[in-house]
Amino acid sequence: MSEQMTPKGHDELEVARMEKELRYISAIIKHNGRKILKNYTITPPQFIALQWLFEHGDMTIGDLSNKMFLAFSTTTDLVDRMENNNLVKRLRDDKDRRVVRIHLLSEGERVIEEVIHKRTAYLNAVLSDFDKEEVIQFSHLLTKLHEAMNKDSLKD
């Protein structure tokens, strides 16, 4: 039986297996992340919003809506709840007073850092049977995959 190849020359069954493993890994990460969030007063969508603000700085509700693939009204409600919990605040833009940016407050930053620390500790425990070189190679390959995906998404 001959191998089926993708247009780029990769074994189609191997690529399908990778997709399946990534899907399963994603589900496990999501499930574990939700278990960690149960110790906090934020919802998974709020965590995602806080992550975007933590990693990319202040942004408008429109920008945040686009990043999260949510309706503008849904993001507004999300930001309202986070603002009520002192995780973020709305700030008028210095250059254009019509523009309102969402700013991450120190409490929101603290929550994100704690949750990410716990998620990292979980991953570290899972990687305990990997040797140092495997972890370095795996990290390098994940970064390469992420960069390729980002580059490909810019074509859309």
Side-chain angles (χ1 to χ4, degrees), residues 11 15-16 18 20 26-27 39 63 79 81 100 105 130 134:
D11 181 321
V15 173
M18 288 170 58
K20 181 179 177 183
S26 177
N39 299 319
D63 292 338
V79 169
R81 289 192 304 278
V100 177
L105 294 174
F130 289 59
E134 287 175 320

Side-chain angles (χ1 to χ4, degrees), residues 5-151:
M5 300 297 222
T6 66
K8 294 286 187 182
H10 301 298
D11 181 321
E12 197 170 289
L13 291 175
E14 196 62 33
V15 173
R17 189 174 74 82
M18 288 170 58
E19 186 281 331
K20 181 179 177 183
E21 292 298 333
L22 286 168
R23 195 168 3 105
Y24 287 173
I25 290 167
S26 177
I28 292 167
I29 289 170
K30 190 177 207 176
H31 175 75
N32 200 35
R34 288 185 175 190
K35 282 193 326 193
I36 292 169
L37 285 180
K38 286 183 179 179
N39 299 319
Y40 297 87
T41 59
I42 62 171
T43 63
Q46 289 173 340
F47 175 73
I48 293 167
L50 291 174
Q51 267 187 305
W52 278 110
L53 294 167
F54 183 76
E55 292 176 10
H56 300 283
D58 297 358
M59 55 180 70
T60 66
I61 287 184
D63 292 338
L64 194 53
S65 295
N66 291 334
K67 299 275 189 200
M68 295 180 65
F69 303 101
L70 294 174
F72 191 88
S73 59
T74 304
T75 306
T76 299
D77 291 343
L78 195 73
V79 169
D80 287 343
R81 289 192 304 278
M82 291 190 304
E83 196 169 32
N84 289 338
N85 289 328
N86 296 313
L87 301 171
V88 300
K89 72 176 177 179
R90 288 174 167 91
L91 295 175
R92 294 238 174 246
D93 188 275
D94 291 337
K95 297 177 182 93
D96 186 344
R97 303 289 295 158
R98 297 170 296 178
V99 175
V100 177
R101 299 198 179 277
I102 311 307
H103 177 76
L104 184 65
L105 294 174
S106 59
E107 178 62 10
E109 193 171 318
R110 183 192 67 78
V111 168
I112 283 292
E113 287 174 342
E114 279 184 22
V115 171
I116 288 173
H117 177 76
K118 288 177 181 177
R119 289 171 67 138
T120 302
Y122 164 75
L123 184 57
N124 194 37
V126 170
L127 292 170
S128 64
D129 289 337
F130 289 59
D131 66 36
K132 185 177 180 179
E133 280 69 35
E134 287 175 320
V135 170
I136 291 168
Q137 183 179 20
F138 186 53
S139 177
H140 171 76
L141 291 171
L142 283 174
T143 299
K144 188 173 180 179
L145 177 64
H146 185 207
E147 288 170 354
M149 289 175 148
N150 278 341
K151 184 176 169 185

